[in-house]
Amino acid sequence: MTEPSELSDLTARQLLAGYRAKAFSPTEVTRAVLARAEEARTRLNAFVRVDHESALAQARAATERWGASEPKGLLDGVPVSVKDLLLQAGGPTLRGSNTTFEKGSWDEDAPAVARLREHGAVLIGKTTTPEFGWKGVTDSPRTGVTRNPHDPARTAGGSSGGSAAAVAAGAGPLSLGTDGGGSIRIPASFCGVLGLKPTYGRVPLYPASPFGTLSHVGPIARDAADAALLLDVISGADDRDPTALEPPARSCVTALTEDAASGVKGLRIAYSASFGGQVAVRPQVAAAVRAAVTRLAGLGAYVEEADPDFADPVEVFQTLWNAGAARLVDQVALDKRQLIDPGLRAIAARGARLSALDLLAAQDARLELARRMARFHRRYDLLVTPTLPLTAFAAGREAPAGASPRGWTGWTPFTYPFNLTQQPAATVPVGADTDGLAIGLQLIAARHGDALVLRAAAAILGASMG
């Protein structure tokens, strides 16, 4: 029988197998996870709140269902945390902002949260985010600085930093994050876990992000099979999001299971180490990613060094991002705007100076970038890059010391292009530097290739474990 101290380290699938075998109960697991969550809240500032009473009530109900061999859904009794940008009925969604009015009914779930409830997940708490998820690290005027489980002096990344830190710290095997320019992949890479930004529309989002169709909802997990399970649960149409897609014909779990034997054998993989010399990648990061790419070749993939055909689209991204920030700030009462993070106010001011022609030109450039990547994927099944060119830097900073004046987009050149193209992209841990800080590899597929991305992620993780 698994000791209670070990329960919080199990994957979602291992928990479900244990419930099925009656080796332990959702109540035991939730108590163990809540202890880790409280530790992650106090030591790392990973949680805005930990919902002890509610989580235990949900866990007891799941324990009764498993006792009767009548589980409610695919995640019955599995502890899951939720980023505090997503609505969760029963408590406020603060969004890291002092402009959020905490009192109110708070009686609606975001679509992905509603799916979690339908499948019996135990919602343990809300994780930290920068204000409205505006940047690539997690600190906010309302909740302070979120720290890295591997070294609390370092950043957890962002904007889903609380979620990634929680999963890495054992505070639940799964978390819901959002990704508008890398906000799932950045913190997952820094914290050494798996994070997937699905194809845009695969997971419905309501209310709509102020950053428009750049923003995706997706899973943070410890392995590819758990990420596939969570993606299946939260996918599907919701009438509150007219851009949401219908679920694929084959579930992600089914695809991962059926394709497991072949792994990456025969896949055509392009490896871009630096986007054709456009990105300066730290040597230890480059070495770890190259070693993982070599393992993919050893597993039967056809690997070729090839760069996607585009220049850095940072100006396109910033035009759309800053316009979203301007719209966001414009909706805040004038007497409260001084409460907003100064960095967010600064990019909103730049966004307010944009014209309609600027936005239309950016949209044109975005569509051209998407077409270029579609052509690229006619030749290659997957593109592999470093997730980030560096490992986690000092907590409480938007960028590492000596970085370019571009703020967080200056050190995330591998992530935001694929929010513009709306492709699925995942980060997979592939090692650590000499300071013990995690290194991530990024996998990108053509639109709707979510299962393919996770299939390659499973191969990399299996190879690294082997």
Side-chain angles (χ1 to χ4, degrees):
M1 184 172 177
T2 306
E3 293 297 322
S5 61
E6 299 174 355
L7 294 176
S8 55
D9 295 322
L10 299 180
T11 66
R13 290 172 302 108
Q14 289 170 329
L15 292 178
L16 292 167
Y19 299 158
R20 196 170 293 110
K22 296 182 169 51
F24 45 77
S25 72
T27 304
E28 293 173 276
V29 168
T30 300
R31 285 198 180 104
V33 167
L34 287 172
R36 289 280 191 97
E38 195 58 43
E39 180 184 355
R41 185 185 67 81
T42 56
R43 188 172 77 93
L44 305 174
N45 191 32
F47 284 86
V48 177
R49 68 173 186 273
V50 179
D51 296 326
H52 292 268
E53 291 185 13
S54 174
L56 285 171
Q58 295 169 62
R60 285 190 287 269
T63 297
E64 291 182 8
R65 291 191 293 270
W66 279 106
S69 298
E70 296 177 349
K72 183 177 179 179
L74 296 177
L75 288 175
D76 202 8
V78 175
V80 183
S81 58
V82 175
K83 183 179 182 180
D84 199 39
L85 290 184
L86 298 169
L87 292 178
Q88 180 178 321
T93 298
L94 301 175
R95 301 179 177 91
S97 181
N98 286 321
T99 68
T100 302
F101 187 59
E102 191 167 347
K103 293 182 179 179
S105 57
W106 298 105
D107 57 0
E108 188 173 23
D109 285 328
V113 177
R115 301 295 87 75
L116 290 176
R117 288 194 201 273
E118 290 169 9
H119 283 269
V122 174
L123 303 178
I124 62 168
K126 300 297 287 292
T127 59
T128 47
T129 174
E131 190 164 19
F132 300 107
W134 80 271
K135 59 183 175 179
V137 294
T138 301
D139 58 68
S140 77
R142 184 149 197 163
T143 57
V145 177
T146 297
R147 300 176 181 277
N148 194 302
H150 301 288
D151 179 356
R154 310 289 183 122
T155 181
S159 63
S160 304
S163 287
V167 172
L174 300 170
S175 191
L176 280 185
T178 65
D179 190 315
S183 290
I184 286 173
R185 291 160 290 156
I186 295 164
S189 180
F190 276 175
C191 293
V193 292
L194 187 151
L196 170 68
K197 176 187 75 68
T199 300
Y200 182 80
R202 178 77 187 265
V203 181
L205 177 59
Y206 171 85
S209 168
F211 301 105
T213 58
L214 293 171
S215 189
H216 306 222
V217 180
I220 295 175
R222 297 188 194 125
D223 67 17
D226 270 12
L229 177 60
L230 180 53
L231 183 59
D232 280 347
V233 166
I234 61 177
S235 293
D238 186 291
D239 60 12
R240 294 173 291 175
D241 180 358
T243 68
L245 302 171
E246 292 293 336
R250 190 170 60 151
S251 78
C252 214
V253 167
T254 299
L256 200 60
T257 302
E258 292 179 348
D259 298 337
S262 56
V264 295
K265 187 175 181 180
L267 292 182
R268 304 161 300 165
I269 297 179
Y271 167 48
S272 179
S274 62
F275 280 171
Q278 295 182 73
V279 183
V281 179
R282 291 189 182 174
Q284 291 184 55
V285 173
V289 173
R290 183 174 287 276
V293 170
T294 300
R295 291 197 296 271
L296 287 172
L299 293 170
Y302 298 107
V303 178
E304 178 182 344
E305 293 198 25
D307 302 307
D309 178 27
F310 61 76
D312 185 355
V314 65
E315 291 185 7
V316 176
F317 178 82
Q318 287 184 337
T319 295
L320 298 172
W321 194 255
N322 294 351
R327 174 63 177 149
L328 191 163
V329 170
D330 186 61
Q331 293 174 309
V332 175
L334 284 171
D335 62 348
K336 285 193 172 185
R337 291 183 190 175
Q338 74 278 8
L339 301 175
I340 295 174
D341 186 327
L344 177 53
R345 277 186 280 144
I347 67 166
R350 291 197 285 273
R353 294 193 290 269
L354 295 167
S355 70
L357 289 177
D358 292 328
L359 292 178
L360 290 171
Q363 290 287 10
D364 286 345
R366 179 183 191 178
L367 291 172
E368 174 57 25
L369 180 62
R371 283 190 287 267
R372 285 173 181 254
M373 285 307 302
R375 290 194 294 270
F376 184 85
H377 283 291
R378 292 173 190 168
R379 181 170 181 181
Y380 300 106
D381 300 302
L382 291 166
L383 169 64
V384 172
T385 73
T387 306
L388 297 165
L390 74 175
T391 52
F393 49 87
R397 301 181 58 98
E398 185 187 342
S404 77
R406 282 171 35 183
W408 69 271
T409 55
W411 53 271
T412 59
F414 293 113
T415 59
Y416 56 76
F418 305 106
N419 292 80
L420 291 167
T421 62
Q422 302 186 336
Q423 296 171 246
T427 183
V428 186
V430 291
D433 66 10
T434 52
D435 291 325
L437 300 169
I439 295 169
L441 171 150
Q442 183 175 219
L443 294 156
I444 305 106
R447 279 172 49 84
H448 311 291
D450 306 81
L452 182 61
V453 166
L454 289 175
R455 175 177 154 195
I460 290 171
L461 291 171
S464 62
M465 289 171 62

